[in-house]
Amino acid sequence: MGQPTPARNGRNDRNGLNDDAWWRSAVIYQVYVRSFADGDGDGTGDLAGVRSRLPYLAELGVDALWFNPWYLSPMKDGGYDVADYRAIHPAFGTLAEAEKLIAEARELGIRTIVDIVPNHVSDQHPWFRAALAGGPERDLFHFRPGRGAHGELPPNDWTSQFGGPAWTRLPDGTWYLHLFAPEQPDLNWAHPAVRQEHEDILRFWFERGVAGVRIDSAALPAKDPRLPDLTEGRAPHPYVDRDELHDVYRSWRRVADEYGGVFVGEVWLPDSERFARYLRPDELHTAFNFAFLSCPWDAVRLRTSIDDTLAEHAPVEAPATWVLCNHDVTRTVTRYGRADTGFDFATKAFGTPTDLALGTRRARAAALLSLALPGAVYVYQGEELGLPEADIPADRIDDPMHFRSGGTDPGRDGCRVPLPWAAEEPYAGFGSREEPWLPQPADWPAYAVDRQLTDPASMLSLYREAIRLRPAFGDAPLTWLPAPDGVLAFTRAGGATCVVNLTATPAELPEHSALLLSSGPLDDTGRLPQDTAAWLRA
């Protein structure tokens, strides 16, 4: 591993490790360990690979790393089926390596955020194995008799997020609930042992130096104890956004406050008032903003999404978060390169071919837009390289979402392909002696880090410079500026202005003293071309 180098981003100096409010305006990089870097050459990314690339992440200038689950798991759902929260999956390394990674990142001014999955565990978890053996651990899950003359029908009409029924029948005739895959049985959050165990898990990781926790499917764990049918129009919902869940997160917040830790929740709710309740001062610190991620490349809709996001956070004085992509979503370049750029989370279908040049141009502009907004920004690994979505051969697909849908859903593997680091090395420098766990496209070397580092016009150079310059916007709220239809323009108290042109006509820039950065070159008259963004100093 190379020697750690100090982060060059001024944000890490300004938002030092003693800054309790760092999370309000942080740039957080999402690490999908399995596909980040392979340190032992076995085809799977690991903690040794991440540690070897910490200097790269420090040079990128990020404030924190969010790791998808790295725990012991059968990997039936990419690690979101956890068998033991206190052990690292052997393919990734050891607990000692995780502790080293946390410490080494911290030396570089980079904090660590780990993932917790409260809704369910793996069917290999000791609790569930004991439950199957008939032990009292059955009370920690949702076991029910079936309906029908012989109990042959599921206990209710709930469906799995991955397709099919949310129930699996056991040989003894009973059924157990799983809102995701059958290998992910749902926990019973009405049981005090479930609550105590998760508080202990939080303490375990906070004591090892993590700065925060990302909560998967944060609105799902609590269930109506009656487990009624999901009748259309039912209120309250039997398993989404239950009121009793807030008491759980209040208890978690008390644990986090003991260590100065922070939470980010994966909260998908259409009701902005209900959403904001999770961000009250004694609950979660932040939550992901999926409306902005799923918004099409349209000025009116983007501005509405930005305004709505800021408005729903204002009553609880919580910072917004901005994200363009994650491990569950078609990559930004591909999404924006299609005519109908709104994202359909249900089908991932767009129906139009991708223009990668168009998608790249828009993704560059979107990067500057998101990084200029007030709040925290999450960057999914490979977005800073401009990676497109990869086509995975049918015989190499690993995602259970694909199989549970009968093959109608392409799954999420296309955004999880191992990263390219060195163009001339085998497997684009991912580090493997053998083919990585997911195949890399033939053109992957063109996106390699070593090529982009020497190209001032590359996507990587744009992200590095944007993160370095981001403090120019300051910490104040956004103020919209007058602009033609199809052009977004706003300023913040730091004295910088962001302008994004989504029209076919070049746009005049507002008065400014200097051009700080642009996602593409201005035209010969100094105007901003279509699908281009610029940062200006007033």
Side-chain angles (χ1 to χ4, degrees), residues 326-375:
N326 63 34
H327 64 292
D328 289 332
V329 176
T330 302
R331 284 201 177 270
T332 309
V333 165
T334 298
R335 208 168 66 245
Y336 281 156
R338 291 166 170 164
D340 45 349
T341 54
F343 181 69
D344 184 339
F345 285 96
T347 66
K348 302 182 181 66
F350 297 85
T352 55
T354 295
D355 179 341
L356 288 183
L358 173 65
T360 299
R361 191 165 65 247
R362 289 174 170 177
R364 290 173 64 93
L368 293 197
L369 171 61
S370 62
L371 285 163
L373 294 169

Side-chain angles (χ1 to χ4, degrees), residues 236-307:
H237 197 285
Y239 64 82
V240 176
D241 185 32
R242 302 280 302 174
D243 284 343
E244 55 266 37
L245 190 54
H246 294 281
D247 185 53
V248 171
Y249 293 138
R250 289 189 186 96
S251 69
W252 284 26
R253 179 61 177 261
R254 289 191 290 271
V255 173
D257 287 347
E258 294 176 23
Y259 299 91
V262 301
F263 292 121
V264 55
E266 183 190 29
V267 182
W268 299 70
L269 293 176
D271 186 322
S272 60
E273 182 179 350
R274 299 286 300 187
F275 172 85
R277 296 178 69 191
Y278 289 84
L279 301 177
R280 289 176 290 195
D282 61 345
E283 295 193 40
L284 308 184
H285 298 76
T286 60
F288 283 130
N289 172 17
F290 295 108
F292 181 77
L293 180 155
S294 59
C295 193
W297 188 247
D298 175 87
V300 172
R301 294 181 65 177
L302 282 168
R303 177 165 174 167
T304 298
S305 175
I306 292 167
D307 284 340

Side-chain angles (χ1 to χ4, degrees), residues 94-356:
T94 64
L95 180 59
E97 282 186 284
E99 292 171 338
K100 286 182 180 179
L101 193 163
I102 293 166
E104 289 170 356
R106 195 169 180 84
E107 290 175 4
L108 297 175
I110 302 174
R111 294 171 171 85
T112 298
I113 297 171
V114 295
D115 219 313
I116 295 293
V117 191
N119 182 71
H120 50 262
V121 292
S122 165
D123 62 354
Q124 299 304 304
H125 190 283
W127 278 0
F128 193 70
R129 296 176 73 174
L132 293 184
E137 289 82 0
R138 281 209 167 201
D139 292 341
L140 306 177
F141 301 91
H142 298 281
F143 286 90
R144 294 290 188 277
R147 297 191 292 192
H150 305 287
E152 71 279 9
L153 300 177
N156 65 26
D157 63 359
W158 298 3
T159 57
S160 163
Q161 300 285 322
F162 289 166
W167 295 89
T168 290
R169 196 180 192 190
L170 296 171
D172 67 4
T174 59
W175 298 73
Y176 69 88
L177 175 68
H178 52 85
L179 289 181
F180 293 85
E183 297 85 0
Q184 297 167 292
D186 281 31
L187 290 165
N188 174 16
W189 274 88
H191 198 292
V194 173
R195 294 188 57 165
Q196 184 61 56
E197 169 66 358
H198 282 75
E199 290 180 21
D200 291 346
I201 290 168
L202 293 175
R203 287 192 171 90
F204 180 88
W205 285 105
F206 282 135
E207 288 173 359
R208 277 153 183 78
V210 305
V213 173
R214 180 262 189 183
I215 307 169
D216 180 73
S217 300
L220 296 185
K223 311 295 192 294
D224 184 330
R226 298 174 298 125
L227 301 181
D229 281 343
L230 185 59
T231 306
E232 185 176 352
R234 174 180 292 279
H237 197 285
Y239 64 82
V240 176
D241 185 32
R242 302 280 302 174
D243 284 343
E244 55 266 37
L245 190 54
H246 294 281
D247 185 53
V248 171
Y249 293 138
R250 289 189 186 96
S251 69
W252 284 26
R253 179 61 177 261
R254 289 191 290 271
V255 173
D257 287 347
E258 294 176 23
Y259 299 91
V262 301
F263 292 121
V264 55
E266 183 190 29
V267 182
W268 299 70
L269 293 176
D271 186 322
S272 60
E273 182 179 350
R274 299 286 300 187
F275 172 85
R277 296 178 69 191
Y278 289 84
L279 301 177
R280 289 176 290 195
D282 61 345
E283 295 193 40
L284 308 184
H285 298 76
T286 60
F288 283 130
N289 172 17
F290 295 108
F292 181 77
L293 180 155
S294 59
C295 193
W297 188 247
D298 175 87
V300 172
R301 294 181 65 177
L302 282 168
R303 177 165 174 167
T304 298
S305 175
I306 292 167
D307 284 340
D308 289 350
T309 296
L310 295 175
E312 67 187 8
H313 286 74
V316 287
E317 299 183 351
T321 64
W322 311 98
V323 60
L324 295 172
C325 187
N326 63 34
H327 64 292
D328 289 332
V329 176
T330 302
R331 284 201 177 270
T332 309
V333 165
T334 298
R335 208 168 66 245
Y336 281 156
R338 291 166 170 164
D340 45 349
T341 54
F343 181 69
D344 184 339
F345 285 96
T347 66
K348 302 182 181 66
F350 297 85
T352 55
T354 295
D355 179 341
L356 288 183

Side-chain angles (χ1 to χ4, degrees), residues 38 40-45 396 418 426-440:
D38 182 4
D40 62 10
D42 66 354
T44 297
R396 296 293 300 275
Y427 306 116
F430 177 61
S432 301
R433 294 185 301 270
E434 54 190 77
E435 187 175 12
W437 72 282
L438 283 177
Q440 296 170 313

Side-chain angles (χ1 to χ4, degrees), residues 7-16 61 63 467-469 471:
R8 71 187 182 95
N9 176 19
R11 292 178 50 78
N12 281 326
D13 298 326
R14 181 174 65 86
N15 286 347
D63 299 297
I467 294 172
R468 185 183 72 84
L469 292 172

Side-chain angles (χ1 to χ4, degrees), residues 20-42:
D20 292 339
W22 65 274
W23 49 275
R24 299 188 69 89
S25 58
V27 177
I28 301 168
Y29 187 92
Q30 180 186 353
V31 179
Y32 193 79
V33 176
R34 200 177 183 188
S35 297
F36 186 73
D38 182 4
D40 62 10
D42 66 354

Side-chain angles (χ1 to χ4, degrees), residues 391-403:
D391 290 325
I392 308 298
D395 64 344
R396 296 293 300 275
I397 293 177
D398 185 75
D399 188 0
M401 186 174 285
H402 172 75
F403 302 108

